[in-house]
Amino acid sequence: MDVLALDVGSRKHAVAVSDARLGASTEVANEVDALRKLYAALVRKAPDAWVVMEATGVYHWQAAVLAHAAGLKVAVLNPKVTANFARVLGQRNKTDRADAQVLLRYAQTVPMVAWQPPRRAVIELRAISRHLLVLTQQQIAGKNRLHAEQSMGEAPVFVLRAYQQEVKRLDKQIAKASAEAMKIIRADADLLAQFKALDSIIGVAEASAIALLGELATLPEAMKARACVAHAGLDVRQHESGISVAKPGRLTKHGNRHLRRALYMPALVAISHDPHAKAFYERLKTKGKKPLQALCAVMRKMLTAAWALMKSRGTYDGSRLYAALEG
């Protein structure tokens, strides 16, 4: 298998190739023209080659999109997985060139899964949904500060007005961002059907549905529910060894933090207003789970339901979800 591995950087990418005939370059500038030239040469020499890279911040995106546009097969890898692979190899050096070689070895060892760029509407929606999450967190923080100052009763009037104005400003920005997100959703029949399905989940309101849709719509539809849960970092890591070591399971959190944030408040609402979620939550607590552990389990169930609804475009049914899945 012909492979070109890129260790992604902000200004340049280190390059490693599986065969010298694919090129002798050891780095390429993180620029459109330079990447297109590299990929065009690779297509001429090996049209079925893979281009592999890690999902590194925002810098891998352009390299991945251009490689896909050139007709090459692209794999975008989880950095935590490749870091563990480097430890298995006994990799001691931490340089761009050494990391590119690790990615190359990984691609030659593990079957690759082809990456597909999301549609433009989905990319824009995700950007807005993440912006909404940031605005919402700022809004909550502002309201908490205002409440604290009002409760203490010691802040001068201009301080209270400043906090009130900040909260109002954030309210307007949130409303504007939500309207822009809904404009994108209503203009796309597929996104609209998925939005309505997510909005049917008890505990998920418009803002939460936008946040969930923005993240889930970028995932490949063939992904299994268990993989979706792992993508969000809501899978449980077990730690057992022999008969003497049996630590409690913990969330890996090796995944999409935006998804976890988008599910937190809906889960809190669900355990109060969804009788099936509430019964499941209480049952876990009676089994010795801490409230936060039980809440995370509800988040995991809700994500499973959300992913199923993304595919079926159906309507949420809590009795089926909590009856079919074990806690």
Side-chain angles (χ1 to χ4, degrees):
M1 181 175 74
D2 293 317
V3 180
L4 183 146
L6 296 176
D7 181 62
V8 173
S10 60
R11 296 182 179 180
K12 60 183 179 180
H13 310 317
V15 178
V17 293
S18 58
D19 193 302
R21 68 182 175 80
L22 301 181
S25 176
T26 57
E27 64 180 41
V28 59
N30 186 14
E31 298 172 357
V32 173
D33 290 341
L35 288 167
R36 282 177 175 165
K37 183 177 179 181
L38 175 69
Y39 296 148
L42 182 60
V43 168
R44 289 195 297 270
K45 298 170 184 176
D48 293 326
W50 282 86
V51 176
V52 301
M53 66 194 75
E54 293 175 325
T56 307
V58 297
Y59 298 116
H60 77 281
W61 185 259
Q62 180 173 261
V65 169
L66 291 175
H68 185 272
L72 295 162
K73 290 178 285 189
V74 183
V76 179
L77 311 176
N78 186 327
K80 292 185 181 293
V81 173
T82 54
N84 289 332
F85 184 75
R87 283 192 283 270
V88 171
L89 294 178
Q91 184 75 29
R92 295 185 179 183
N93 296 325
K94 183 68 174 95
T95 67
D96 295 342
R97 297 175 96 181
D99 289 347
Q101 288 294 332
V102 168
L103 295 179
L104 177 61
R105 290 281 300 277
Y106 184 87
Q108 293 173 322
T109 305
V110 179
M112 293 291 96
V113 177
W115 173 84
Q116 296 289 333
R119 292 180 291 120
R120 183 65 188 175
V122 173
I123 295 172
E124 292 179 353
L125 179 62
R126 185 178 67 174
I128 295 175
S129 69
R130 291 183 176 183
H131 178 55
L132 268 171
L133 281 175
V134 173
L135 291 175
T136 302
Q137 289 173 335
Q138 293 175 348
Q139 179 198 52
I140 293 171
K143 287 181 177 180
N144 289 341
R145 287 194 299 268
L146 176 60
H147 175 72
E149 294 294 351
Q150 289 174 331
S151 299
M152 291 176 65
E154 297 177 351
V157 174
F158 87 90
V159 172
L160 296 179
R161 286 179 178 172
Y163 283 134
Q164 290 168 347
Q165 290 172 358
E166 179 65 10
V167 170
K168 287 182 180 179
R169 181 186 68 82
L170 289 167
D171 287 343
K172 291 180 180 179
Q173 287 192 351
I174 289 172
K176 183 177 181 180
S178 296
E180 289 296 324
M182 291 307 302
K183 187 185 298 184
I184 293 173
I185 291 170
R186 293 192 181 101
D188 189 298
D190 199 36
L191 288 177
L192 182 59
Q194 292 174 322
F195 173 82
K196 289 180 178 179
L198 294 174
D199 196 36
S200 71
I201 301 174
I202 299 176
V204 175
E206 178 181 289
S208 300
I210 291 172
L212 288 171
L213 182 59
E215 299 301 325
L216 295 177
T218 64
L219 303 179
E221 194 166 328
M223 178 181 282
K224 302 294 184 182
R226 181 175 295 181
C228 184
V229 169
H231 171 76
L234 288 172
D235 53 326
V236 178
R237 177 179 59 219
Q238 301 294 338
H239 189 164
E240 298 178 356
S241 180
I243 60 175
S244 60
V245 178
K247 296 181 179 181
R250 295 181 180 275
L251 294 184
T252 64
K253 294 186 181 179
H254 289 176
N256 188 326
R257 68 182 186 278
H258 303 287
L259 259 179
R260 295 197 298 275
R261 289 174 180 171
L263 288 163
Y264 181 73
M265 289 304 298
L268 283 176
V269 176
I271 60 177
S272 296
H273 296 87
D274 185 345
H276 305 288
K278 183 177 181 179
F280 174 72
Y281 174 78
E282 295 296 339
R283 186 165 68 250
L284 288 180
K285 289 203 299 181
T286 60
K287 291 182 178 180
K289 298 294 184 183
K290 296 178 181 179
L292 184 57
Q293 291 176 315
L295 182 66
C296 288
V298 173
M299 291 168 61
R300 190 160 53 247
K301 301 291 189 188
M302 294 184 76
L303 178 55
T304 302
W307 187 236
L309 291 171
M310 286 286 292
K311 296 181 179 182
S312 68
R313 280 70 162 171
T315 303
Y316 173 74
D317 184 350
S319 63
R320 292 183 60 188
L321 173 68
Y322 291 97
L325 300 175
E326 297 181 359

PDB file of all heavy atoms in Angstrom, residues 121 124-129 132 174-187 191 195 206-207 210-211 213:
ATOM      1  N   ALA A 121     -22.807  23.040   4.154  1.00  0.00           N
ATOM      2  CA  ALA A 121     -23.838  23.444   5.112  1.00  0.00           C
ATOM      3  C   ALA A 121     -23.551  22.874   6.490  1.00  0.00           C
ATOM      4  O   ALA A 121     -23.764  23.536   7.513  1.00  0.00           O
ATOM      5  CB  ALA A 121     -25.218  22.989   4.627  1.00  0.00           C
ATOM      6  N   GLU A 124     -20.597  24.777   8.129  1.00  0.00           N
ATOM      7  CA  GLU A 124     -21.033  26.076   8.638  1.00  0.00           C
ATOM      8  C   GLU A 124     -21.870  25.917   9.904  1.00  0.00           C
ATOM      9  O   GLU A 124     -21.726  26.692  10.862  1.00  0.00           O
ATOM     10  CB  GLU A 124     -21.830  26.813   7.566  1.00  0.00           C
ATOM     11  CG  GLU A 124     -20.984  27.249   6.367  1.00  0.00           C
ATOM     12  CD  GLU A 124     -21.797  27.956   5.306  1.00  0.00           C
ATOM     13  OE1 GLU A 124     -23.047  27.994   5.447  1.00  0.00           O
ATOM     14  OE2 GLU A 124     -21.204  28.467   4.337  1.00  0.00           O
ATOM     15  N   LEU A 125     -22.746  24.910   9.910  1.00  0.00           N
ATOM     16  CA  LEU A 125     -23.591  24.681  11.077  1.00  0.00           C
ATOM     17  C   LEU A 125     -22.757  24.326  12.296  1.00  0.00           C
ATOM     18  O   LEU A 125     -23.031  24.796  13.411  1.00  0.00           O
ATOM     19  CB  LEU A 125     -24.608  23.572  10.782  1.00  0.00           C
ATOM     20  CG  LEU A 125     -25.545  23.221  11.942  1.00  0.00           C
ATOM     21  CD1 LEU A 125     -26.398  24.427  12.330  1.00  0.00           C
ATOM     22  CD2 LEU A 125     -26.429  22.033  11.564  1.00  0.00           C
ATOM     23  N   ARG A 126     -21.743  23.498  12.113  1.00  0.00           N
ATOM     24  CA  ARG A 126     -20.897  23.118  13.244  1.00  0.00           C
ATOM     25  C   ARG A 126     -20.169  24.342  13.815  1.00  0.00           C
ATOM     26  O   ARG A 126     -20.060  24.493  15.034  1.00  0.00           O
ATOM     27  CB  ARG A 126     -19.874  22.055  12.842  1.00  0.00           C
ATOM     28  CG  ARG A 126     -19.047  21.548  14.016  1.00  0.00           C
ATOM     29  CD  ARG A 126     -18.082  20.468  13.614  1.00  0.00           C
ATOM     30  NE  ARG A 126     -17.030  20.959  12.735  1.00  0.00           N
ATOM     31  CZ  ARG A 126     -15.997  20.230  12.324  1.00  0.00           C
ATOM     32  NH1 ARG A 126     -15.897  18.965  12.704  1.00  0.00           N
ATOM     33  NH2 ARG A 126     -15.081  20.741  11.521  1.00  0.00           N
ATOM     34  N   ALA A 127     -19.686  25.206  12.925  1.00  0.00           N
ATOM     35  CA  ALA A 127     -19.001  26.417  13.386  1.00  0.00           C
ATOM     36  C   ALA A 127     -19.940  27.286  14.221  1.00  0.00           C
ATOM     37  O   ALA A 127     -19.559  27.806  15.282  1.00  0.00           O
ATOM     38  CB  ALA A 127     -18.461  27.199  12.193  1.00  0.00           C
ATOM     39  N   ILE A 128     -21.182  27.432  13.771  1.00  0.00           N
ATOM     40  CA  ILE A 128     -22.148  28.247  14.511  1.00  0.00           C
ATOM     41  C   ILE A 128     -22.517  27.572  15.827  1.00  0.00           C
ATOM     42  O   ILE A 128     -22.633  28.235  16.867  1.00  0.00           O
ATOM     43  CB  ILE A 128     -23.408  28.498  13.663  1.00  0.00           C
ATOM     44  CG1 ILE A 128     -23.056  29.332  12.428  1.00  0.00           C
ATOM     45  CG2 ILE A 128     -24.478  29.216  14.491  1.00  0.00           C
ATOM     46  CD1 ILE A 128     -24.225  29.517  11.471  1.00  0.00           C
ATOM     47  N   SER A 129     -22.714  26.244  15.809  1.00  0.00           N
ATOM     48  CA  SER A 129     -23.118  25.545  17.031  1.00  0.00           C
ATOM     49  C   SER A 129     -22.038  25.633  18.104  1.00  0.00           C
ATOM     50  O   SER A 129     -22.341  25.787  19.294  1.00  0.00           O
ATOM     51  CB  SER A 129     -23.448  24.078  16.720  1.00  0.00           C
ATOM     52  OG  SER A 129     -22.283  23.342  16.366  1.00  0.00           O
ATOM     53  N   LEU A 132     -22.143  29.043  19.528  1.00  0.00           N
ATOM     54  CA  LEU A 132     -23.266  29.135  20.457  1.00  0.00           C
ATOM     55  C   LEU A 132     -22.914  28.567  21.833  1.00  0.00           C
ATOM     56  O   LEU A 132     -23.313  29.124  22.863  1.00  0.00           O
ATOM     57  CB  LEU A 132     -24.474  28.385  19.891  1.00  0.00           C
ATOM     58  CG  LEU A 132     -25.456  29.210  19.051  1.00  0.00           C
ATOM     59  CD1 LEU A 132     -26.462  28.303  18.370  1.00  0.00           C
ATOM     60  CD2 LEU A 132     -26.165  30.232  19.915  1.00  0.00           C
ATOM     61  N   ILE A 174     -26.599  35.388  21.116  1.00  0.00           N
ATOM     62  CA  ILE A 174     -27.116  34.021  21.099  1.00  0.00           C
ATOM     63  C   ILE A 174     -28.341  33.925  20.190  1.00  0.00           C
ATOM     64  O   ILE A 174     -28.474  32.987  19.390  1.00  0.00           O
ATOM     65  CB  ILE A 174     -27.461  33.551  22.530  1.00  0.00           C
ATOM     66  CG1 ILE A 174     -26.171  33.322  23.323  1.00  0.00           C
ATOM     67  CG2 ILE A 174     -28.305  32.282  22.500  1.00  0.00           C
ATOM     68  CD1 ILE A 174     -26.384  33.043  24.794  1.00  0.00           C
ATOM     69  N   ALA A 175     -29.227  34.903  20.296  1.00  0.00           N
ATOM     70  CA  ALA A 175     -30.420  34.904  19.445  1.00  0.00           C
ATOM     71  C   ALA A 175     -30.046  35.010  17.972  1.00  0.00           C
ATOM     72  O   ALA A 175     -30.616  34.320  17.114  1.00  0.00           O
ATOM     73  CB  ALA A 175     -31.335  36.061  19.850  1.00  0.00           C
ATOM     74  N   LYS A 176     -29.078  35.872  17.665  1.00  0.00           N
ATOM     75  CA  LYS A 176     -28.643  36.041  16.277  1.00  0.00           C
ATOM     76  C   LYS A 176     -27.984  34.775  15.741  1.00  0.00           C
ATOM     77  O   LYS A 176     -28.266  34.339  14.618  1.00  0.00           O
ATOM     78  CB  LYS A 176     -27.662  37.211  16.180  1.00  0.00           C
ATOM     79  CG  LYS A 176     -27.201  37.510  14.761  1.00  0.00           C
ATOM     80  CD  LYS A 176     -26.290  38.723  14.702  1.00  0.00           C
ATOM     81  CE  LYS A 176     -25.855  39.020  13.270  1.00  0.00           C
ATOM     82  NZ  LYS A 176     -24.968  40.206  13.197  1.00  0.00           N
ATOM     83  N   ALA A 177     -27.094  34.152  16.546  1.00  0.00           N
ATOM     84  CA  ALA A 177     -26.417  32.920  16.117  1.00  0.00           C
ATOM     85  C   ALA A 177     -27.423  31.790  15.928  1.00  0.00           C
ATOM     86  O   ALA A 177     -27.320  31.001  14.979  1.00  0.00           O
ATOM     87  CB  ALA A 177     -25.350  32.529  17.138  1.00  0.00           C
ATOM     88  N   SER A 178     -28.400  31.687  16.827  1.00  0.00           N
ATOM     89  CA  SER A 178     -29.431  30.648  16.710  1.00  0.00           C
ATOM     90  C   SER A 178     -30.243  30.842  15.432  1.00  0.00           C
ATOM     91  O   SER A 178     -30.567  29.870  14.738  1.00  0.00           O
ATOM     92  CB  SER A 178     -30.351  30.683  17.928  1.00  0.00           C
ATOM     93  OG  SER A 178     -29.647  30.377  19.109  1.00  0.00           O
ATOM     94  N   ALA A 179     -30.561  32.099  15.123  1.00  0.00           N
ATOM     95  CA  ALA A 179     -31.328  32.381  13.904  1.00  0.00           C
ATOM     96  C   ALA A 179     -30.540  32.001  12.654  1.00  0.00           C
ATOM     97  O   ALA A 179     -31.100  31.440  11.693  1.00  0.00           O
ATOM     98  CB  ALA A 179     -31.702  33.866  13.863  1.00  0.00           C
ATOM     99  N   GLU A 180     -29.239  32.275  12.657  1.00  0.00           N
ATOM    100  CA  GLU A 180     -28.400  31.907  11.515  1.00  0.00           C
ATOM    101  C   GLU A 180     -28.317  30.393  11.360  1.00  0.00           C
ATOM    102  O   GLU A 180     -28.338  29.857  10.245  1.00  0.00           O
ATOM    103  CB  GLU A 180     -27.001  32.498  11.688  1.00  0.00           C
ATOM    104  CG  GLU A 180     -26.936  34.003  11.527  1.00  0.00           C
ATOM    105  CD  GLU A 180     -27.310  34.463  10.131  1.00  0.00           C
ATOM    106  OE1 GLU A 180     -26.981  33.757   9.157  1.00  0.00           O
ATOM    107  OE2 GLU A 180     -27.943  35.528  10.014  1.00  0.00           O
ATOM    108  N   ALA A 181     -28.214  29.694  12.508  1.00  0.00           N
ATOM    109  CA  ALA A 181     -28.163  28.228  12.469  1.00  0.00           C
ATOM    110  C   ALA A 181     -29.464  27.659  11.913  1.00  0.00           C
ATOM    111  O   ALA A 181     -29.459  26.756  11.063  1.00  0.00           O
ATOM    112  CB  ALA A 181     -27.895  27.673  13.867  1.00  0.00           C
ATOM    113  N   MET A 182     -30.599  28.203  12.354  1.00  0.00           N
ATOM    114  CA  MET A 182     -31.891  27.710  11.882  1.00  0.00           C
ATOM    115  C   MET A 182     -32.091  28.036  10.403  1.00  0.00           C
ATOM    116  O   MET A 182     -32.764  27.295   9.685  1.00  0.00           O
ATOM    117  CB  MET A 182     -33.016  28.314  12.715  1.00  0.00           C
ATOM    118  CG  MET A 182     -33.062  27.799  14.153  1.00  0.00           C
ATOM    119  SD  MET A 182     -33.102  25.976  14.259  1.00  0.00           S
ATOM    120  CE  MET A 182     -34.575  25.585  13.302  1.00  0.00           C
ATOM    121  N   LYS A 183     -31.519  29.129   9.936  1.00  0.00           N
ATOM    122  CA  LYS A 183     -31.607  29.468   8.516  1.00  0.00           C
ATOM    123  C   LYS A 183     -30.929  28.379   7.671  1.00  0.00           C
ATOM    124  O   LYS A 183     -31.457  27.963   6.625  1.00  0.00           O
ATOM    125  CB  LYS A 183     -30.945  30.824   8.265  1.00  0.00           C
ATOM    126  CG  LYS A 183     -31.129  31.366   6.855  1.00  0.00           C
ATOM    127  CD  LYS A 183     -30.336  32.647   6.648  1.00  0.00           C
ATOM    128  CE  LYS A 183     -30.807  33.739   7.577  1.00  0.00           C
ATOM    129  NZ  LYS A 183     -30.085  35.025   7.309  1.00  0.00           N
ATOM    130  N   ILE A 184     -29.750  27.933   8.133  1.00  0.00           N
ATOM    131  CA  ILE A 184     -29.034  26.866   7.433  1.00  0.00           C
ATOM    132  C   ILE A 184     -29.825  25.567   7.480  1.00  0.00           C
ATOM    133  O   ILE A 184     -29.955  24.843   6.480  1.00  0.00           O
ATOM    134  CB  ILE A 184     -27.640  26.662   8.052  1.00  0.00           C
ATOM    135  CG1 ILE A 184     -26.754  27.882   7.788  1.00  0.00           C
ATOM    136  CG2 ILE A 184     -26.976  25.399   7.509  1.00  0.00           C
ATOM    137  CD1 ILE A 184     -25.418  27.840   8.496  1.00  0.00           C
ATOM    138  N   ILE A 185     -30.372  25.256   8.655  1.00  0.00           N
ATOM    139  CA  ILE A 185     -31.109  23.999   8.836  1.00  0.00           C
ATOM    140  C   ILE A 185     -32.366  23.967   7.972  1.00  0.00           C
ATOM    141  O   ILE A 185     -32.656  22.968   7.307  1.00  0.00           O
ATOM    142  CB  ILE A 185     -31.474  23.817  10.326  1.00  0.00           C
ATOM    143  CG1 ILE A 185     -30.202  23.558  11.145  1.00  0.00           C
ATOM    144  CG2 ILE A 185     -32.459  22.669  10.510  1.00  0.00           C
ATOM    145  CD1 ILE A 185     -30.405  23.595  12.649  1.00  0.00           C
ATOM    146  N   ARG A 186     -33.122  25.070   7.950  1.00  0.00           N
ATOM    147  CA  ARG A 186     -34.380  25.101   7.181  1.00  0.00           C
ATOM    148  C   ARG A 186     -34.134  25.065   5.679  1.00  0.00           C
ATOM    149  O   ARG A 186     -35.016  24.661   4.922  1.00  0.00           O
ATOM    150  CB  ARG A 186     -35.183  26.345   7.551  1.00  0.00           C
ATOM    151  CG  ARG A 186     -35.712  26.329   8.993  1.00  0.00           C
ATOM    152  CD  ARG A 186     -36.733  27.437   9.213  1.00  0.00           C
ATOM    153  NE  ARG A 186     -37.209  27.431  10.587  1.00  0.00           N
ATOM    154  CZ  ARG A 186     -36.788  28.253  11.539  1.00  0.00           C
ATOM    155  NH1 ARG A 186     -35.843  29.161  11.248  1.00  0.00           N
ATOM    156  NH2 ARG A 186     -37.274  28.185  12.758  1.00  0.00           N
ATOM    157  N   ALA A 187     -32.939  25.473   5.250  1.00  0.00           N
ATOM    158  CA  ALA A 187     -32.625  25.465   3.819  1.00  0.00           C
ATOM    159  C   ALA A 187     -32.149  24.096   3.340  1.00  0.00           C
ATOM    160  O   ALA A 187     -31.952  23.898   2.145  1.00  0.00           O
ATOM    161  CB  ALA A 187     -31.555  26.512   3.514  1.00  0.00           C
ATOM    162  N   LEU A 191     -30.991  18.137   6.908  1.00  0.00           N
ATOM    163  CA  LEU A 191     -30.682  18.697   8.221  1.00  0.00           C
ATOM    164  C   LEU A 191     -31.955  19.026   8.998  1.00  0.00           C
ATOM    165  O   LEU A 191     -32.014  18.833  10.216  1.00  0.00           O
ATOM    166  CB  LEU A 191     -29.820  19.954   8.074  1.00  0.00           C
ATOM    167  CG  LEU A 191     -28.361  19.758   7.652  1.00  0.00           C
ATOM    168  CD1 LEU A 191     -27.678  21.110   7.476  1.00  0.00           C
ATOM    169  CD2 LEU A 191     -27.607  18.909   8.668  1.00  0.00           C
ATOM    170  N   PHE A 195     -32.904  17.614  12.578  1.00  0.00           N
ATOM    171  CA  PHE A 195     -33.134  18.569  13.668  1.00  0.00           C
ATOM    172  C   PHE A 195     -34.447  18.257  14.376  1.00  0.00           C
ATOM    173  O   PHE A 195     -34.511  18.237  15.613  1.00  0.00           O
ATOM    174  CB  PHE A 195     -33.153  19.994  13.125  1.00  0.00           C
ATOM    175  CG  PHE A 195     -33.555  21.027  14.143  1.00  0.00           C
ATOM    176  CD1 PHE A 195     -32.634  21.528  15.050  1.00  0.00           C
ATOM    177  CD2 PHE A 195     -34.871  21.477  14.203  1.00  0.00           C
ATOM    178  CE1 PHE A 195     -33.008  22.463  15.995  1.00  0.00           C
ATOM    179  CE2 PHE A 195     -35.252  22.416  15.143  1.00  0.00           C
ATOM    180  CZ  PHE A 195     -34.320  22.916  16.048  1.00  0.00           C
ATOM    181  N   GLU A 206     -34.257  23.761  21.395  1.00  0.00           N
ATOM    182  CA  GLU A 206     -33.699  24.218  20.122  1.00  0.00           C
ATOM    183  C   GLU A 206     -32.178  24.366  20.182  1.00  0.00           C
ATOM    184  O   GLU A 206     -31.462  23.878  19.302  1.00  0.00           O
ATOM    185  CB  GLU A 206     -34.323  25.557  19.715  1.00  0.00           C
ATOM    186  CG  GLU A 206     -33.756  26.111  18.411  1.00  0.00           C
ATOM    187  CD  GLU A 206     -34.354  27.439  18.019  1.00  0.00           C
ATOM    188  OE1 GLU A 206     -35.538  27.452  17.635  1.00  0.00           O
ATOM    189  OE2 GLU A 206     -33.637  28.471  18.084  1.00  0.00           O
ATOM    190  N   ALA A 207     -31.677  25.045  21.220  1.00  0.00           N
ATOM    191  CA  ALA A 207     -30.231  25.284  21.321  1.00  0.00           C
ATOM    192  C   ALA A 207     -29.460  23.974  21.406  1.00  0.00           C
ATOM    193  O   ALA A 207     -28.413  23.809  20.766  1.00  0.00           O
ATOM    194  CB  ALA A 207     -29.932  26.155  22.537  1.00  0.00           C
ATOM    195  N   ILE A 210     -29.480  22.157  18.033  1.00  0.00           N
ATOM    196  CA  ILE A 210     -28.513  22.762  17.105  1.00  0.00           C
ATOM    197  C   ILE A 210     -27.102  22.274  17.432  1.00  0.00           C
ATOM    198  O   ILE A 210     -26.336  21.896  16.532  1.00  0.00           O
ATOM    199  CB  ILE A 210     -28.575  24.301  17.192  1.00  0.00           C
ATOM    200  CG1 ILE A 210     -29.884  24.815  16.621  1.00  0.00           C
ATOM    201  CG2 ILE A 210     -27.393  24.932  16.447  1.00  0.00           C
ATOM    202  CD1 ILE A 210     -30.107  26.299  16.834  1.00  0.00           C
ATOM    203  N   ALA A 211     -26.765  22.263  18.727  1.00  0.00           N
ATOM    204  CA  ALA A 211     -25.426  21.832  19.143  1.00  0.00           C
ATOM    205  C   ALA A 211     -25.176  20.367  18.788  1.00  0.00           C
ATOM    206  O   ALA A 211     -24.109  20.010  18.279  1.00  0.00           O
ATOM    207  CB  ALA A 211     -25.256  22.044  20.643  1.00  0.00           C
ATOM    208  N   LEU A 213     -26.789  18.528  16.490  1.00  0.00           N
ATOM    209  CA  LEU A 213     -26.798  18.359  15.035  1.00  0.00           C
ATOM    210  C   LEU A 213     -25.485  18.838  14.428  1.00  0.00           C
ATOM    211  O   LEU A 213     -24.940  18.200  13.512  1.00  0.00           O
ATOM    212  CB  LEU A 213     -27.974  19.136  14.438  1.00  0.00           C
ATOM    213  CG  LEU A 213     -28.172  19.028  12.924  1.00  0.00           C
ATOM    214  CD1 LEU A 213     -28.385  17.579  12.504  1.00  0.00           C
ATOM    215  CD2 LEU A 213     -29.363  19.886  12.495  1.00  0.00           C
TER     216      LEU A 213
END
